[in-house]
Amino acid sequence: MSGPAVRPAPAGHVPTVVTGVGVAAPNGLGTEEYWRNVLEGRSGITEMTRFDASGYPFKLAGQITGFVAEDHLPARLLPQTDVSTRLALATADWALADAAVEPGDGENYDMGVITSNATGGFEFTHREFHKLWDQGPSYVSVYESFAWFYAVNTGQISIRNGLRGPGAALVGEQAGGLDALGHACRTVREGTGLVISGGVDSALDPWGYLSQFAGGLVSAESDPRRAYLPFDAAAGGYVPGEGGAVLVVESAEAAERRGAPRIYGEIAGYAAAFDPPPGSDRPPALRHTAEQAIARAGLRPGDIDVVFADAAGVPRLDLAEAQAISGLFGPGAVPVTAPKALTGRLYAGGGPLDVVTALLSIRDGVIPPTAHTSDVPGSYGIDLVVGEPRALPVSTALVVARGRHGFNAAVVVRAWTN
Amino acid sequence: MESSARGRRVVMTGMGVRTPGGAGTKEFWDLLTSGRTATRRISFFDASPFRSQVAAEAAFDPVAEGLTPRQIRRMDRATQFAVACTRDAVADSGLDFDALDPYRVGVSLGSAVASATSLEKEYLVMSDAGRNWLVDPAYLSPHMFDYLSPGAMPAEVAWTVGAQGPVTMVSDGCTSGIDAVGHAVRLIREGSADIMIAGATDTPISPIVVACFDAIKASTPRNDDPEHASRPFDRTRDGFVLAEGAAVFVLEEYEAARARGAHIYAELGASATRCNAHHMTGLTRHGREMAEAIRNAFDDARADATDIDYVNAHGSGTQQNDRHETAAFKLALGSHAYRVPVSSIKSMVGHSLGAIGAIEIAACALAIEYDVVPPTANLHEPDPACDLDYVPLTARELPVRTVLTVGSGFGGFQSAMVLRAVA
Amino acid sequence: MSALSIDDLRRVLVECAGEAEGAEFDGDGRTFEELGYDSLALIETAARLKQRYGIDLDDGDVMAAETPAALLSLANAAARS
């Protein structure tokens, strides 16, 4: 909407800021490569290459290529980690380096880890299921007991970096990543100086991949440029992807005290709510969730400069989201975008990656477009940024995410002005 | 955040339990106070190829529970347990959920392995009994997405009461139970919800899970004596007994509960968690991180070590855990560690992974309710390194007002929570 | 079967738990701990030795082996019997 807005924070407010980010996305390993590719419209959605998907009803995925785990992680970690954990460890390393944090060797209770996961180390566990039933129980690896469960990334990040503060793992499908960030902020407000947060998911083995199709929302379109068209009249589903983002969340005071090299922005507000049960005539909860997050940031809808949408890519869900946005802000009143059209939906990684993208928009004053979408129904009432990036001063962004079965989460990030 | 929410206290006003050895709260408490165990030979499948053939299974009839054919078809067993417990907890609370603002009611559900049972069932079909890495789309169940990505679990709980506040699954391995309930406490305290359906569920008695604990030799191979196989703190202990179960509570803001004359089991502190940052499955000998979590829980509850009338231990019955925990108690409780009764109900209901922390919270609330401390079953020959009062064999009557419960899990998670009687 | 060599053992260990830290071991007395192999690595290695070579080792003996040389002689003793 209008330019930068500065409103006094609510009383008792403990500002929580992002001081480091790490990204592993189908269209970029590392933050700057990802951001460049987002602005230049380079897609990471391709035909599935990990196995022969010719017999499957869909064949596309957002795959990360060029990640050689051996280049990033010690050899001993490789037999015990799923690809999602390897990516999570590497992106956590990059985020910590970006934030110039050296956890040190001491008993560090002041640094915690809170991540989200939707599918766990699924390729790893698929291999173990296969060995169990094809060969026998004695073939199941010692590492299966911890390589698959949903807290594995939190655990491994904490061990690798010696972080003994609070740890948690939240599951909420595509909304969980924002829940993890919200809980990280809560944990910082409660007194932990720094929390590594975010999410990384990968389930692109045959069983994990096929299972995503069972949700009924994955596109069967074979053209990578037409398969995931958020808010387009021709939308026919989404493409699943792997990857995500890790963010270093600190209290502003702690960041300043230790001389953090940069502050990307403040996580100013967070909220979560759930849709009514199937069959209810109550409205979906997305608008309420967004309103709450904005209010908790001490802001009004008019203060939001851009909305990073959940972008289900399914017409009835796109319409519901569009209605929530236009209802909250007014028709066409705020730019909306979904850079995830270039990566696919990343489940627990999606929300954190959107937050990083929003912070980069704030930093560089540019809103990335929603790739491939060209025909947005007027009835949606949203100003979707399509085609080229839109140069615009961005001071405050709203990021929303919805998870299958009714999860809704929203985060407001804003430029840090102290 | 809402400054008016500062100072809100959280109490438990409803409870629902499904555990081995009993179908509901009463049967659960009867088992615990009797000192009987529910650990038996695995009956759910042919366990003869496995090293550990013992488990604590629950008798659960989804039809008798009132679940519809569609619910039974789509819901994993762990979800069924959670929904059954939720219904019990809701009824127990006496709250009329239809009269509440749905946005003020949330859900925080813990689970470690979520839909593992359903995953394995589907795997056998899709892979043709493990023959094919390229699983067959012709056998893709429409519910497979929900087993892969288990958001359906807390969703089904939310749908039971139409909850529209914050809904999440807390999945911290074996501390999921404490952590999920603690998470709910935080959400009420900060004003994000007034009522939380909080608890945990796990039904992991399935070949893949049995096999993975066999591989690391963490579960007991005492197959010739299943009833006595879970032996926390005993010198002859040799691993935990895998179990299934669930416990779900209604948590409320205290003043509102009092105003409506609700029956209050106990007030709950927030959970404290620390990571040991040491090893994904190994524990330190010193227990410092668990001690730190305990201290943090004390701070939160404004409690002192000497306030504690009962400690509900993690007590999984592995050699390393019970030593680690004993060391942690001594660090955190000082000399009081030698005076306070400590017991592990895993000796009776086994270790249900992510669920057990919530089941143990139920036991703590009932201990407060009835002024009885459940025993540690099978404790005949205490390990000299576990030299605290672990309440061997027989339940003990004593005034129980303030209770500490702890949990420990893979990934290095160490959690603690204080519960206390409300005056 | 012929006796296992230190190279055979190293191969199995690396398969199960990744490359050793620092210099490669050749049974020169560096402990498993120094090489960065934990108890899980040893358990997995013992399972693999059984699967691949039919060598059955006692859990307690495996955990007590402090060096690759010690584990190798255990394995070869078991293979002979």
Side-chain angles (χ1 to χ4, degrees), chain B residues 52-355:
Chain B
S52 178
Q53 299 167 16
V54 186
E57 298 168 346
F60 184 86
D61 180 345
V63 174
E65 293 280 357
L67 294 173
T68 68
R70 287 187 176 186
Q71 287 174 318
I72 296 169
R73 167 64 59 90
R74 71 172 186 257
M75 288 192 208
D76 178 82
R77 185 177 171 84
T79 312
Q80 296 176 16
F81 275 43
V83 167
C85 289
T86 300
R87 290 173 174 179
D88 279 5
V90 162
D92 188 33
S93 74
L95 265 172
D96 177 9
F97 276 77
D98 290 336
L100 300 172
D101 173 1
Y103 281 125
R104 301 300 300 162
V105 180
V107 172
S108 176
L109 185 70
S111 188
V113 298
S115 309
T117 303
S118 296
L119 276 174
E120 190 144 37
K121 288 201 173 83
E122 294 303 317
Y123 177 71
L124 288 172
V125 171
M126 292 174 71
S127 71
D128 193 11
R131 283 184 194 84
N132 302 319
W133 176 251
L134 271 180
V135 297
D136 190 342
Y139 285 96
L140 179 67
S141 158
H143 310 299
M144 186 57 230
F145 186 102
D146 293 326
Y147 306 145
L148 168 76
S149 170
M153 215 171 256
E156 296 275 4
V157 169
W159 293 339
T160 306
V161 297
Q164 289 194 245
V167 172
T168 195
M169 184 160 122
V170 176
S171 195
D172 301 338
C174 297
T175 59
S176 302
I178 293 192
D179 297 345
V181 176
H183 192 72
V185 169
R186 289 189 160 84
L187 290 176
I188 294 176
R189 280 187 181 173
E190 75 184 19
S192 295
D194 297 322
I195 312 276
M196 291 290 296
I197 310 289
T201 181
D202 256 315
T203 55
I205 303 170
S206 196
I208 187 68
V209 180
V210 173
C212 84
F213 289 122
D214 272 359
I216 56 170
K217 309 190 198 297
S219 44
T220 176
R222 194 180 294 247
N223 305 318
D224 57 344
D225 190 13
E227 289 185 40
H228 306 110
S230 180
R231 313 172 70 78
F233 308 112
D234 190 276
R235 195 184 58 79
T236 63
R237 67 190 185 276
D238 56 9
F240 69 82
V241 170
L242 186 65
E244 60 177 1
V248 175
F249 313 109
V250 173
L251 303 188
E252 268 182 83
E253 188 276 317
Y254 168 59
E255 296 294 344
R258 218 175 53 149
R260 73 175 180 91
H263 165 249
I264 293 174
Y265 287 91
E267 178 178 2
L268 274 60
S271 53
T273 304
R274 293 293 179 268
C275 293
N276 72 14
H278 170 68
H279 191 272
M280 288 298 283
T281 61
L283 294 168
T284 62
R285 284 197 162 257
H286 52 68
R288 282 201 284 267
E289 297 80 15
M290 178 180 271
E292 184 68 18
I294 292 171
R295 276 185 218 112
N296 197 255
F298 284 169
D299 284 346
D300 176 88
R302 294 196 185 90
D304 221 61
T306 54
D307 294 329
I308 305 298
D309 301 312
Y310 166 53
V311 176
N312 180 282
H314 184 67
S316 56
T318 66
Q319 284 288 328
Q320 75 162 357
N321 176 79
D322 298 356
R323 266 194 317 260
H324 166 265
E325 209 173 354
T326 302
F329 290 151
K330 291 175 182 175
L331 273 178
L333 300 168
S335 57
H336 193 64
Y338 292 92
R339 292 190 291 266
V340 64
V342 182
S343 73
S344 165
I345 68 166
K346 291 184 180 69
S347 60
M348 296 175 278
V349 295
H351 186 5
S352 46
L353 307 184

Side-chain angles (χ1 to χ4, degrees), chain A residues 33 126 160 202 211 231 281 296 309 360-361 412:
Chain A
E33 180 184 286
H126 181 189
R160 177 161 170 74
S202 176
S211 298
F231 300 107
D281 53 14
R296 286 175 182 178
L360 296 169
S361 283
V412 172

Side-chain angles (χ1 to χ4, degrees), chain A:
Chain A
M1 234 193 104
S2 53
V6 179
R7 288 183 199 283
H13 187 62
V14 174
T16 51
V17 297
V18 176
T19 54
V21 301
V23 169
N27 63 344
L29 267 179
T31 309
E32 297 309 326
E33 180 184 286
Y34 160 75
W35 183 228
R36 201 167 43 243
N37 287 335
V38 162
L39 292 175
E40 291 174 14
R42 260 186 227 112
S43 172
I45 292 176
T46 60
E47 278 200 22
M48 168 53 74
T49 57
R50 306 259 161 102
F51 59 90
D52 176 11
S54 55
Y56 280 16
F58 69 121
K59 298 164 184 34
L60 300 179
Q63 297 165 96
I64 293 176
T65 53
F67 179 73
V68 180
E70 289 80 353
D71 292 346
H72 302 281
L73 301 172
R76 278 175 310 101
L77 274 181
L78 302 182
Q80 60 174 262
T81 49
D82 176 74
V83 58
S84 58
T85 302
R86 296 171 179 189
L87 290 168
L89 285 170
T91 50
D93 284 352
W94 299 335
L96 283 167
D98 189 35
V101 173
E102 270 160 59
D105 292 325
E107 284 195 342
N108 198 337
Y109 293 118
D110 201 39
M111 298 190 182
V113 185
I114 294 173
T115 67
S116 179
N117 217 318
T119 59
F122 204 76
E123 181 180 62
F124 192 104
T125 203
H126 181 189
R127 276 200 301 274
E128 297 300 319
F129 271 93
H130 183 61
K131 284 192 288 168
L132 167 62
W133 289 102
D134 192 45
Q135 297 175 273
S138 66
Y139 288 81
V140 171
S141 156
V142 291
Y143 306 121
E144 166 70 345
S145 61
F146 61 83
W148 166 48
F149 77 135
Y150 304 93
V152 58
N153 294 347
T154 291
Q156 290 280 23
I157 290 171
S158 109
I159 290 167
R160 177 161 170 74
N161 296 288
L163 308 175
R164 291 181 168 79
L170 302 181
V171 176
E173 213 245 352
Q174 177 95 2
L178 294 188
D179 291 335
L181 288 174
H183 191 46
C185 293
R186 176 184 294 121
T187 303
V188 166
R189 280 196 305 272
E190 281 184 16
T192 300
L194 180 152
V195 176
I196 303 216
S197 188
V200 176
D201 258 315
S202 176
L204 299 185
D205 61 288
W207 185 22
Y209 180 70
L210 186 60
S211 298
Q212 294 171 69
F213 194 74
L217 301 176
V218 168
S219 168
E221 168 63 55
S222 55
D223 180 351
R225 289 158 307 165
R226 301 288 298 160
Y228 182 27
L229 300 173
F231 300 107
D232 195 293
Y238 71 90
V239 173
E242 64 180 348
V246 170
L247 295 81
V248 176
V249 178
E250 298 184 70
S251 70
E253 192 216 324
E256 270 151 22
R257 208 183 326 119
R258 73 172 180 91
R262 72 189 64 79
I263 289 179
Y264 284 89
E266 180 191 359
I267 300 181
Y270 156 77
F274 206 72
D275 285 346
S280 163
D281 53 14
R282 289 173 56 85
L286 182 62
R287 177 172 169 172
H288 170 90
T289 308
E291 280 171 342
Q292 287 247 296
I294 293 169
R296 286 175 182 178
L299 298 173
R300 294 199 284 268
D303 299 320
I304 303 296
D305 299 316
V306 59
V307 177
F308 283 77
D310 170 66
V314 171
R316 63 180 166 82
L317 296 172
D318 284 348
L319 174 63
E321 180 166 27
Q323 285 173 338
I325 294 171
S326 63
L328 176 57
F329 296 98
V334 63
V336 179
T337 190
K340 57 172 63 81
L342 294 173
T343 61
R345 285 175 76 77
L346 307 187
Y347 301 103
L353 185 58
D354 278 344
V355 170
V356 171
T357 315
L359 291 169
L360 296 169
S361 283
I362 290 172
R363 182 188 75 181
D364 295 350
V366 59
I367 299 172
T370 305
H372 310 140
T373 293
S374 55
D375 178 16
V376 180
S379 55
Y380 283 3
I382 57 166
D383 170 21
L384 190 73
V385 178
V386 295
E388 291 304 308
R390 190 181 299 179
L392 199 66
V394 176
S395 144
T396 309
L398 171 73
V399 179
V400 297
R402 291 176 300 181
R404 181 178 172 76
H405 293 314
F407 298 90
N408 298 270
V411 161
V412 172
V413 290
R414 75 173 148 211
W416 179 245
T417 52
N418 57 332

